[in-house]
Amino acid sequence: ALRRIVQEAKKHDVSFLIGFELEVVFMTSDIVHGTHVYGKNPISHGHAWSNASALRNPEIMEIIEEIVVKLERSQINLEQFHPESAPGQYEFVTGCMPPLEAVDALLATQDIIYSVAEKHSFKATFVPKPYPMACGTGAHVHMSITPDHEHPSFFAGILKHLPAITAFTYANSSSYDRLQDSVWSGGRFVAWGMQNRETPLRKVDGSHWELKCMDGLANKYLALAAILGAGLQGIFDKQPMTHKDCSVDPALLDTEGRNKLGIVEQLPRSLPEALQRLDKDRVLRAIIGEDLVNAY
């Protein structure tokens, strides 16, 4: 499905570059009464976003350094890694690539992280909300489109179908534990904003945008097929961008304030609701393929 959509885009001289911010939580592994128990002890002290003290634990740094070496040997471009906000949470940022290659590289990255953590008797998890009171774990998608002038209709198409796309990007019941307002996860409202991390779609610069409403449990091929397919349909339909730039947290606005910005929809709050939205979105179903959607 993803290959077909990319090829269709090429027929119209449209191409994409994709990169990912992949968040992961490393947990200790203990055996209690013969059963593995994960996350019993924190594995780093002074842990916070980009905090250097979170890199002082020799055990975790041995894991991270081995991951970096294996990624380099696999010719996967790792632009950056750093601690994130939740206990034991780190982020690995991959370089931009064409869509299929980008997903291939992301899955290889996940496998390398899993295997290295296991080797050192740690548990690596991409569960979206491993700790109820801490930040969640996502797999943010960075996208850019060529030609640049097509990007308003492209991202308008994504916003139009975003509630149905959520069935692919938030593909597990636990995904919806992370779907909260005011915690930099993208929030609940269908909206976009320039450098706004409280909207699911963030404009970074020019035709470079970030989709925040995806996590590590999604099937990235299907998710990206839905995202790019909806955007490409937006180009074909010359979809107008009716959502205005939201510069604040949409959850802090009243209904009138959101209406003025064109923010009139929320993302599904559960997997059954997301699947219902997908079932009703005949256009997106046709883009992905009816047989594939039914099987999913």
PDB file of all heavy atoms in Angstrom, residues 121-134:
ATOM      1  N   SER A 121      20.298  -7.439  29.862  1.00  0.00           N
ATOM      2  CA  SER A 121      19.294  -7.804  30.864  1.00  0.00           C
ATOM      3  C   SER A 121      18.377  -6.646  31.234  1.00  0.00           C
ATOM      4  O   SER A 121      17.891  -6.549  32.375  1.00  0.00           O
ATOM      5  CB  SER A 121      19.964  -8.359  32.132  1.00  0.00           C
ATOM      6  OG  SER A 121      20.717  -9.505  31.825  1.00  0.00           O
ATOM      7  N   PHE A 122      18.143  -5.749  30.294  1.00  0.00           N
ATOM      8  CA  PHE A 122      17.164  -4.686  30.467  1.00  0.00           C
ATOM      9  C   PHE A 122      15.975  -4.949  29.537  1.00  0.00           C
ATOM     10  O   PHE A 122      16.063  -5.735  28.595  1.00  0.00           O
ATOM     11  CB  PHE A 122      17.767  -3.317  30.123  1.00  0.00           C
ATOM     12  CG  PHE A 122      18.624  -2.743  31.215  1.00  0.00           C
ATOM     13  CD1 PHE A 122      19.931  -3.180  31.410  1.00  0.00           C
ATOM     14  CD2 PHE A 122      18.137  -1.757  32.047  1.00  0.00           C
ATOM     15  CE1 PHE A 122      20.722  -2.660  32.407  1.00  0.00           C
ATOM     16  CE2 PHE A 122      18.923  -1.213  33.049  1.00  0.00           C
ATOM     17  CZ  PHE A 122      20.217  -1.661  33.232  1.00  0.00           C
ATOM     18  N   LYS A 123      14.886  -4.274  29.824  1.00  0.00           N
ATOM     19  CA  LYS A 123      13.712  -4.334  28.963  1.00  0.00           C
ATOM     20  C   LYS A 123      13.565  -2.991  28.245  1.00  0.00           C
ATOM     21  O   LYS A 123      13.522  -1.943  28.892  1.00  0.00           O
ATOM     22  CB  LYS A 123      12.460  -4.607  29.796  1.00  0.00           C
ATOM     23  CG  LYS A 123      11.144  -4.529  29.030  1.00  0.00           C
ATOM     24  CD  LYS A 123      10.996  -5.665  28.049  1.00  0.00           C
ATOM     25  CE  LYS A 123       9.615  -5.636  27.396  1.00  0.00           C
ATOM     26  NZ  LYS A 123       9.463  -6.717  26.400  1.00  0.00           N
ATOM     27  N   ALA A 124      13.511  -3.017  26.922  1.00  0.00           N
ATOM     28  CA  ALA A 124      13.199  -1.824  26.142  1.00  0.00           C
ATOM     29  C   ALA A 124      11.734  -1.902  25.739  1.00  0.00           C
ATOM     30  O   ALA A 124      11.290  -2.924  25.213  1.00  0.00           O
ATOM     31  CB  ALA A 124      14.082  -1.741  24.899  1.00  0.00           C
ATOM     32  N   THR A 125      10.979  -0.848  26.007  1.00  0.00           N
ATOM     33  CA  THR A 125       9.555  -0.870  25.673  1.00  0.00           C
ATOM     34  C   THR A 125       9.158   0.391  24.923  1.00  0.00           C
ATOM     35  O   THR A 125       9.632   1.492  25.235  1.00  0.00           O
ATOM     36  CB  THR A 125       8.673  -1.038  26.923  1.00  0.00           C
ATOM     37  OG1 THR A 125       7.297  -1.059  26.517  1.00  0.00           O
ATOM     38  CG2 THR A 125       8.881   0.092  27.921  1.00  0.00           C
ATOM     39  N   PHE A 126       8.283   0.196  23.935  1.00  0.00           N
ATOM     40  CA  PHE A 126       7.692   1.304  23.200  1.00  0.00           C
ATOM     41  C   PHE A 126       6.227   1.486  23.592  1.00  0.00           C
ATOM     42  O   PHE A 126       5.476   2.167  22.894  1.00  0.00           O
ATOM     43  CB  PHE A 126       7.817   1.062  21.695  1.00  0.00           C
ATOM     44  CG  PHE A 126       9.252   0.952  21.233  1.00  0.00           C
ATOM     45  CD1 PHE A 126       9.856  -0.289  21.065  1.00  0.00           C
ATOM     46  CD2 PHE A 126      10.008   2.088  21.006  1.00  0.00           C
ATOM     47  CE1 PHE A 126      11.180  -0.393  20.657  1.00  0.00           C
ATOM     48  CE2 PHE A 126      11.338   1.995  20.599  1.00  0.00           C
ATOM     49  CZ  PHE A 126      11.926   0.755  20.429  1.00  0.00           C
ATOM     50  N   VAL A 127       5.823   0.888  24.707  1.00  0.00           N
ATOM     51  CA  VAL A 127       4.455   1.059  25.207  1.00  0.00           C
ATOM     52  C   VAL A 127       4.191   2.554  25.400  1.00  0.00           C
ATOM     53  O   VAL A 127       5.010   3.260  25.983  1.00  0.00           O
ATOM     54  CB  VAL A 127       4.270   0.288  26.535  1.00  0.00           C
ATOM     55  CG1 VAL A 127       2.972   0.683  27.211  1.00  0.00           C
ATOM     56  CG2 VAL A 127       4.288  -1.208  26.266  1.00  0.00           C
ATOM     57  N   PRO A 128       3.055   3.065  24.905  1.00  0.00           N
ATOM     58  CA  PRO A 128       2.842   4.510  24.878  1.00  0.00           C
ATOM     59  C   PRO A 128       2.788   5.204  26.240  1.00  0.00           C
ATOM     60  O   PRO A 128       3.115   6.386  26.337  1.00  0.00           O
ATOM     61  CB  PRO A 128       1.498   4.648  24.151  1.00  0.00           C
ATOM     62  CG  PRO A 128       1.369   3.405  23.353  1.00  0.00           C
ATOM     63  CD  PRO A 128       2.022   2.334  24.163  1.00  0.00           C
ATOM     64  N   LYS A 129       2.374   4.495  27.286  1.00  0.00           N
ATOM     65  CA  LYS A 129       2.266   5.146  28.595  1.00  0.00           C
ATOM     66  C   LYS A 129       2.698   4.168  29.681  1.00  0.00           C
ATOM     67  O   LYS A 129       1.886   3.681  30.468  1.00  0.00           O
ATOM     68  CB  LYS A 129       0.815   5.596  28.812  1.00  0.00           C
ATOM     69  CG  LYS A 129       0.625   6.603  29.923  1.00  0.00           C
ATOM     70  CD  LYS A 129       1.094   7.986  29.553  1.00  0.00           C
ATOM     71  CE  LYS A 129       0.687   8.986  30.634  1.00  0.00           C
ATOM     72  NZ  LYS A 129       1.246  10.331  30.370  1.00  0.00           N
ATOM     73  N   PRO A 130       3.998   3.872  29.769  1.00  0.00           N
ATOM     74  CA  PRO A 130       4.445   2.870  30.741  1.00  0.00           C
ATOM     75  C   PRO A 130       4.296   3.320  32.189  1.00  0.00           C
ATOM     76  O   PRO A 130       4.140   2.488  33.077  1.00  0.00           O
ATOM     77  CB  PRO A 130       5.921   2.654  30.378  1.00  0.00           C
ATOM     78  CG  PRO A 130       6.319   3.889  29.635  1.00  0.00           C
ATOM     79  CD  PRO A 130       5.102   4.359  28.927  1.00  0.00           C
ATOM     80  N   TYR A 131       4.351   4.634  32.431  1.00  0.00           N
ATOM     81  CA  TYR A 131       4.188   5.171  33.779  1.00  0.00           C
ATOM     82  C   TYR A 131       3.018   6.144  33.767  1.00  0.00           C
ATOM     83  O   TYR A 131       3.045   7.149  33.044  1.00  0.00           O
ATOM     84  CB  TYR A 131       5.453   5.889  34.238  1.00  0.00           C
ATOM     85  CG  TYR A 131       6.682   5.002  34.292  1.00  0.00           C
ATOM     86  CD1 TYR A 131       7.733   5.191  33.402  1.00  0.00           C
ATOM     87  CD2 TYR A 131       6.790   3.980  35.233  1.00  0.00           C
ATOM     88  CE1 TYR A 131       8.857   4.385  33.453  1.00  0.00           C
ATOM     89  CE2 TYR A 131       7.906   3.161  35.283  1.00  0.00           C
ATOM     90  CZ  TYR A 131       8.939   3.373  34.392  1.00  0.00           C
ATOM     91  OH  TYR A 131      10.050   2.564  34.432  1.00  0.00           O
ATOM     92  N   PRO A 132       1.973   5.903  34.575  1.00  0.00           N
ATOM     93  CA  PRO A 132       0.755   6.721  34.503  1.00  0.00           C
ATOM     94  C   PRO A 132       0.988   8.217  34.720  1.00  0.00           C
ATOM     95  O   PRO A 132       0.324   9.042  34.096  1.00  0.00           O
ATOM     96  CB  PRO A 132      -0.126   6.137  35.606  1.00  0.00           C
ATOM     97  CG  PRO A 132       0.364   4.744  35.803  1.00  0.00           C
ATOM     98  CD  PRO A 132       1.835   4.787  35.537  1.00  0.00           C
ATOM     99  N   MET A 133       1.931   8.573  35.586  1.00  0.00           N
ATOM    100  CA  MET A 133       2.113   9.978  35.936  1.00  0.00           C
ATOM    101  C   MET A 133       3.291  10.619  35.211  1.00  0.00           C
ATOM    102  O   MET A 133       3.657  11.756  35.509  1.00  0.00           O
ATOM    103  CB  MET A 133       2.302  10.107  37.447  1.00  0.00           C
ATOM    104  CG  MET A 133       1.147   9.577  38.273  1.00  0.00           C
ATOM    105  SD  MET A 133      -0.461  10.231  37.758  1.00  0.00           S
ATOM    106  CE  MET A 133      -0.247  11.952  38.227  1.00  0.00           C
ATOM    107  N   ALA A 134       3.884   9.915  34.251  1.00  0.00           N
ATOM    108  CA  ALA A 134       5.031  10.460  33.511  1.00  0.00           C
ATOM    109  C   ALA A 134       4.657  10.639  32.040  1.00  0.00           C
ATOM    110  O   ALA A 134       3.613  10.183  31.586  1.00  0.00           O
ATOM    111  CB  ALA A 134       6.239   9.538  33.641  1.00  0.00           C
TER     112      ALA A 134
END
